[in-house]
Amino acid sequence: MKKMSRNVLLQMEEEDDDDDGDIVLENLGQTIVPDLGSLESQHDFRTPEFEEFNGKPDSLFFNDGRRRIDFVLVYEDESRKETNKKGTNEKQRRKRQAYESNLICHGLQLEATRSVLDDKLVFVKVHAPWEVLCTYAEIMHIKLPLKPNDLKNRSSAFGTLNWFTKVLSVDESIIKPEQEFFTAPFEKNRMNDFYIVDRDAFFNPATRSRIVYFILSRVKYQVINNVSKFGINRLVNSGIYKAAFPLHDCKFRRQSEDPSCPNERYLLYREWAHPRSIYKKQPLDLIRKYYGEKIGIYFAWLGYYTQMLLLAAVVGVACFLYGYLNQDNCTWSKEVCHPDIGGKIIMCPQCDRLCPFWKLNITCESSKKLCIFDSFGTLVFAVFMGVWVTLFLEFWKRRQAELEYEWDTVELQQEEQARPEYEARCTHVVINEITQEEERIPFTAWGKCIRITLCASAVFFWILLIIASVIGIIVYRLSVFIVFSAKLPKNINGTDPIQKYLTPQTATSITASIISFIIIMILNTIYEKVAIMITNFELPRTQTDYENSLTMKMFLFQFVNYYSSCFYIAFFKGKFVGYPGDPVYWLGKYRNEECDPGGCLLELTTQLTIIMGGKAIWNNIQEVLLPWIMNLIGRFHRVSGSEKITPRWEQDYHLQPMGKLGLFYEYLEMIIQFGFVTLFVASFPLAPLLALVNNILEIRVDAWKLTTQFRRLVPEKAQDIGAWQPIMQGIAILAVVTNAMIIAFTSDMIPRLVYYWSFSVPPYGDHTSYTMEGYINNTLSIFKVADFKNKSKGNPYSDLGNHTTCRYRDFRYPPGHPQEYKHNIYYWHVIAAKLAFIIVMEHVIYSVKFFISYAIPDVSKRTKSKIQREKYLTQKLLHENHLKDMTKNMGVIAERMIEAVDNNLRPKSE
């Protein structure tokens, strides 16, 4: 293999551009443009050595058994492809050779091996030598051990419950606790200050892979019009490489035959991902060590969220049982079902064509179900959840601060580098206001304003598109209600068994919820791609900025997509319907939907159940079934029994790629669930229980997926959960408003309370004591059939018999009254009570929330003391070492000076 000591720019036509491009070979020397033919003839490309597989399937080293494999690149040999497009393949080959040559120039060592199963595949193994690791550890400001730390003694907070927590914890004899160290950003010139016992173990595999990926992401391979093309991600996306990934350390079902292998993947599968470990705590330190802090903080957050859901689920089940056990004491439901009350109340048609008059008692079953959810327990639970969500967020901040200390990410923000995609576009030179030095930026201030405007416009357009789809669902509901009213049995007495359980309202609600869920899942796929395109155009500087920007866009899309139908049912349906003689129409054609006599709360519960349940089932199919089937198909196509002879890198290649945004979708899924649990919990107290069961399975499913079905992710640092924290805080604030409004405007709790305390007794009522008797009759207004407008619309008067009036859900004066069909005094009392309730509930809960936020510091006093103590001792250690070196050097200098003086004085004395 020939050595090359200079940069080379090889003129070459870009495969997807008409302009000429340059293949770039880098080194520290000057740049020249050689003759193309002479370069090819001399073979000046630096290429990896080809080696035969040594037959050790568990080996994590080069064939020499000494150099560890830190990364693997996979490509398909163009010369052995069946369909050989010579021009395109030649360009790809030379780009790849240029890239690999530049990797070698950056100090990486490469070794190529052909696939055991498919000789077209070539695996390029990448190793970073000690000098390269040290150089880039300093560039990346990676914190490394200085000396063992005896401060981080994690004591249990459960005291006498240690025996119980020991059962739930991972066995320390299997997964041993990690030794803790004082750490500091690595500096090569102070290498002696660091705790280097074994050079091979000083940089753990995760850190090695992170350093190598940093290099792979920034090495150039081509220049077109002074714009550099570089990075392994672009090469993989363009098909020049088929994959790039770090290696798992062993098989997940059994330990490695290599005695030096730590078998961390096997331990994670056994103690974390296996179904028998579902009751155990997560081995977060090992997760962080193997997958990096970014994966670790996600599972820490998900585990903590699940623990807090346990309390919410218990209270929610208690409130549900309260409503279930007291449904027989629900007076207004009894009146609906009573044959002499609900059976004699004739209700007005709910649409202009085909809809019949109907008796109130056909809603008997739905009114019984409504009693379960629309009870006093709902109010208690809504207030509790307003406090619970604050406790969860505040205690999570404390837990997050502990993890920052334990995982040494307290000052992580200073370490983050610019994204390669950002650096590639930095062509404008400006003067930094702070340093007064020149620096490059991708666009001017005016260009940035244009990009922000275009991105905001695109986001706004797609949100309008989502709203348009919601309007489409509403139109469906309005039109299909007429069809169900015509097709379903029309027994006015409500005795038909189908009509008893499947009313037109119920049929419309269920079908609309299912269709809404299907549209939501279809739109999600589109919006994900759109949000990524917009964020790529926006060009954020760092990976954190990129993910935060994408997070806000995706959540905004998903918020409107998932919650808009629930907001419609909760706050709009049945609120603007007019009255039978003067109904309100959508688009001048569709008559607005009405709620059941008991309100829309039960329909909102149905909508939440279908969306939450359907979403959980769909996500599990996507996360578990699809990767498993893809890997199963891959194993079926490979040679039977080949796993015994295939090397580790080839086994990992046939696993599924996680994708750079894989973790982003996991967060998004949980945050959407968090919104369902908090925003609409007043209508469905079992939502926390469903979320709890889902999350217990979700943790193990995600663990199983990562350890068995996917390639190992590139370890990444993370200090916190990023933009998801302020999103959750925003949801928590909004949840107080939505739950207060659900109780006030969607449920019938306030009208019942107003009737009980004001209108059941004189001067408005006829009863001598406070009671709920007569509530139904009092809340249903009277309408005179003769006052219907436009009788040609086909109201079925033939079903009425001798009845001349019908009832409808509203608070209006009866016909013949001086203010007939105007809102009565009961309506204004109810409105005043609703507004007062919202104001009081919001102020009380917000006051409690702010008090809790103030009383619970984000960082505990103990953690803060540990951080300050460790920083003090670290600085003291570095200062003492520096002082020792200075003292030693000064001593040497003093000895030399004394010796020099003696030498000068000796001749004189002689």
Side-chain angles (χ1 to χ4, degrees), residues 573-702:
K573 183 182 176 182
K575 305 298 187 294
F576 312 100
V577 296
Y579 61 95
D582 187 20
V584 177
Y585 291 89
W586 266 75
L587 307 175
K589 181 179 179 181
Y590 300 102
R591 180 170 167 177
N592 268 2
E593 284 186 283
E594 296 182 32
C595 295
D596 281 339
C600 288
L601 192 67
L602 188 60
E603 185 173 349
L604 179 58
T605 303
T606 303
Q607 180 84 357
L608 286 171
T609 305
I610 291 176
I611 293 181
M612 282 191 69
K615 182 175 177 292
I617 294 171
W618 176 255
N619 286 334
N620 285 327
I621 290 175
Q622 280 189 313
E623 293 180 8
V624 180
L625 203 57
L626 290 182
W628 180 76
I629 290 175
M630 294 298 291
N631 287 331
L632 192 64
I633 294 173
R635 285 195 295 268
F636 178 77
H637 285 297
R638 297 200 298 273
V639 179
S640 177
S642 62
E643 191 173 349
K644 296 181 181 179
I645 60 172
T646 52
R648 172 84 269 134
W649 50 85
E650 191 157 355
Q651 295 175 33
D652 284 7
Y653 170 70
H654 291 293
L655 296 176
Q656 296 301 304
M658 182 68 173
K660 199 167 185 179
L661 296 175
L663 196 61
F664 168 82
Y665 297 122
E666 301 295 339
Y667 271 118
L668 182 63
E669 175 189 348
M670 289 295 103
I671 295 297
I672 293 296
Q673 181 207 87
F674 178 77
F676 281 121
V677 168
T678 54
L679 291 173
F680 306 101
V681 75
S683 65
F684 191 35
L686 293 181
L689 178 63
L690 294 182
L692 174 65
V693 174
N694 176 79
N695 288 6
I696 291 174
L697 298 176
E698 180 76 19
I699 291 174
R700 306 302 163 174
V701 164
D702 287 348

Side-chain angles (χ1 to χ4, degrees), residues 428 430 441-454 537:
H428 295 83
V430 296
I441 59 174
F443 33 73
T444 61
W446 178 246
K448 186 174 182 180
C449 291
I450 293 176
R451 284 176 178 263
I452 292 175
T453 302
L454 292 175
F537 177 75

Side-chain angles (χ1 to χ4, degrees), residues 518-567:
I518 294 172
I519 292 177
I520 284 171
M521 302 314 297
I522 293 174
L523 292 178
N524 276 350
T525 306
I526 300 174
Y527 298 145
E528 288 173 6
K529 293 179 173 58
V530 171
I532 292 173
M533 289 174 58
I534 296 174
T535 308
N536 289 339
F537 177 75
E538 187 180 332
L539 200 64
R541 180 180 178 274
T542 65
Q543 184 63 25
T544 298
D545 294 337
Y546 180 88
E547 292 179 1
N548 290 346
S549 179
L550 181 62
T551 295
M552 297 305 296
K553 293 180 183 65
M554 278 296 296
F555 178 75
L556 197 58
F557 289 153
Q558 302 283 19
F559 184 91
V560 179
N561 200 18
Y562 275 106
Y563 302 143
S564 54
S565 58
C566 294
F567 273 98

